[in-house]
Amino acid sequence: RSSHPPDVMRAVAITPARDEVDNLERLYASLAAQTVPVQKWIVVDNGSTDGTQDLVRSLAAADARVVLL
């Protein structure tokens, strides 16, 4: 359940990713700082071999808005 009033606009972010471990933490911080709250961040991994999946799983464990596909 969101703590934002019902009239506040929210966004869903979908990010395709392949070997983006070096960029995703910065993107996560950027999404958190947006003036329109991000209700869900879906990261679609395309066979990464650099730890992208591990990073997103770690973020998802700490933040229920993060989803790894």
Side-chain angles (χ1 to χ4, degrees):
R1 187 168 174 124
S2 174
S3 62
H4 299 286
D7 61 340
V8 172
M9 190 169 44
R10 291 179 201 87
V12 173
I14 302 172
T15 304
R18 181 167 182 153
D19 296 333
E20 294 292 338
V21 73
D22 293 334
N23 299 311
L24 289 177
E25 283 190 273
R26 190 171 61 238
L27 177 55
Y28 176 75
S30 176
L31 291 172
Q34 297 300 309
T35 56
V36 174
V38 175
Q39 183 176 8
K40 187 74 63 180
W41 180 31
I42 301 168
V43 180
V44 182
D45 184 69
N46 188 20
S48 294
T49 60
D50 68 342
T52 293
Q53 293 178 14
D54 293 335
L55 173 62
V56 177
R57 282 187 190 106
S58 175
L59 292 171
D63 186 339
R65 298 173 301 167
V66 180
V67 176
L68 173 64
L69 294 180

